[in-house]
Amino acid sequence: SAPVTISHCHFIGVANNGSNPFDNAIWFYHPVAGGVINITTNEFDHQWQSILLELQGDGAVVTSNNFHDLVANVYDATTYAPEGMEMLAYGGNNVSAPVTINSNSFSSYSGWSIALAGGYPDSGMAQFTDVTIENNQIAADGDGIVLRNYGTTPTEAAQGGVQNAVISANTITGTNSADSIGIWVSGANNNLSVSNNFISDVNRGISVEELNAGAGYATGLVAFDNSFTGDATAVYNGSAAPANIVNASGNWWGVNTPAGVLALVTANVD
């Protein structure tokens, strides 16, 4: 198959007409490699989830899109926060081809902006191994960049997650809400490089957590040359294990005293 390109479109969700749906503007299910998915220079608004890509075996390029005014969905008394884009790998279908998310903008909603998950409940494990997220402008409140590993045991987690990703030169601006996170590393998404990002006014700038108890935290995370200002906690590490230490040297913390820096990071952040 040839590559697929979607460009210069305006996707307006049915919430614009007062509905309350689980709607997607673009949904790809691509279990057999068949060409790169290119989504560029589009506008998305009034959906619950703008882009969902599943099993994009030949990779994807999502660039220069504008996501704004997305809407939550309420179903069976549960509220589901809106999502700009989510990419899923599962069922042993690893995505080793490049995935590039570049120069998009997100604003005027509260939810996730960019999310990737390796593995999915009841669907088996898989990995992304070549992901670059750079030069995005994220002013939507909530969680800016979310990486998830759905493994329920260390063995499963070793087969899943978003590995060796590069997150660089993004601007993530929150509104000081209590549960907002700039970059959320949930589960064993290992060897992550986070550099030259500007993360401000969120509850946690970078948050390293365990998604499923006992399955493990990220290892090898290096955060260098970033700016953290106005964040309640700049770097949070939920693990005390030496293997999960976060290397966060060489950043700007909005303060210039050792005590001030220590107050902005948790234990096991070097």
Side-chain angles (χ1 to χ4, degrees):
S1 300
V4 175
T5 297
I6 299 174
S7 68
H8 296 89
C9 299
H10 186 184
F11 297 89
I12 304 172
V14 295
N16 195 55
N17 296 322
S19 300
N20 187 34
F22 281 121
D23 64 335
N24 305 89
I26 296 173
W27 178 17
F28 272 93
Y29 176 71
H30 211 235
V32 178
V36 178
I37 299 168
N38 299 283
I39 301 174
T40 178
T41 323
N42 301 287
E43 182 177 359
F44 301 88
D45 60 87
H46 292 90
Q47 302 94 26
W48 165 68
Q49 185 182 63
S50 297
I51 298 173
L52 174 60
L53 304 183
E54 298 187 52
L55 310 178
Q56 57 275 28
D58 276 350
V61 177
V62 182
T63 183
S64 302
N65 300 284
N66 179 15
F67 304 80
H68 64 91
D69 295 289
L70 305 185
V71 294
N73 188 343
V74 180
Y75 181 76
D76 280 349
T78 299
T79 299
Y80 296 86
E83 302 177 8
M85 70 178 76
E86 183 165 16
M87 302 187 185
L88 305 176
Y90 53 81
N93 296 286
N94 294 322
V95 178
S96 59
V99 172
T100 301
I101 302 168
N102 180 279
S103 300
N104 302 284
S105 65
F106 305 82
S107 63
S108 301
Y109 69 93
S110 181
W112 291 3
S113 293
I114 299 169
L116 295 94
Y120 202 72
D122 302 319
S123 298
M125 303 306 296
Q127 295 183 338
F128 291 92
T129 57
D130 189 356
V131 173
T132 301
I133 302 171
E134 61 185 3
N135 297 313
N136 298 284
Q137 302 289 319
I138 300 175
D141 200 20
D143 305 316
I145 297 170
V146 182
L147 307 182
R148 312 198 99 188
N149 184 328
Y150 277 99
T152 58
T153 66
T155 299
E156 281 191 356
Q159 302 169 35
V162 183
Q163 311 298 335
N164 310 308
V166 174
I167 299 177
S168 179
N170 302 283
T171 299
I172 303 173
T173 307
T175 60
N176 294 300
S177 63
D179 58 353
S180 57
I181 299 173
I183 299 171
W184 185 7
V185 186
S186 185
N189 303 285
N190 301 324
N191 303 316
L192 174 62
S193 173
V194 180
S195 65
N196 296 297
N197 300 283
F198 294 83
I199 305 175
S200 61
D201 299 323
V202 294
N203 187 48
R204 295 177 180 174
I206 299 173
S207 189
V208 178
E209 304 177 36
E210 190 174 45
L211 180 56
N212 291 308
Y217 294 79
T219 63
L221 193 159
V222 177
F224 176 75
D225 207 20
N226 302 284
S227 171
F228 300 95
T229 58
D231 306 321
T233 300
V235 182
Y236 171 88
N237 190 351
S239 173
N244 304 121
I245 193 168
V246 174
N247 180 348
S249 59
N251 296 286
W252 169 243
W253 307 96
V255 295
N256 56 9
T257 65
V261 173
L262 286 174
L264 291 170
V265 301
T266 62
N268 215 24
V269 175
D270 185 8

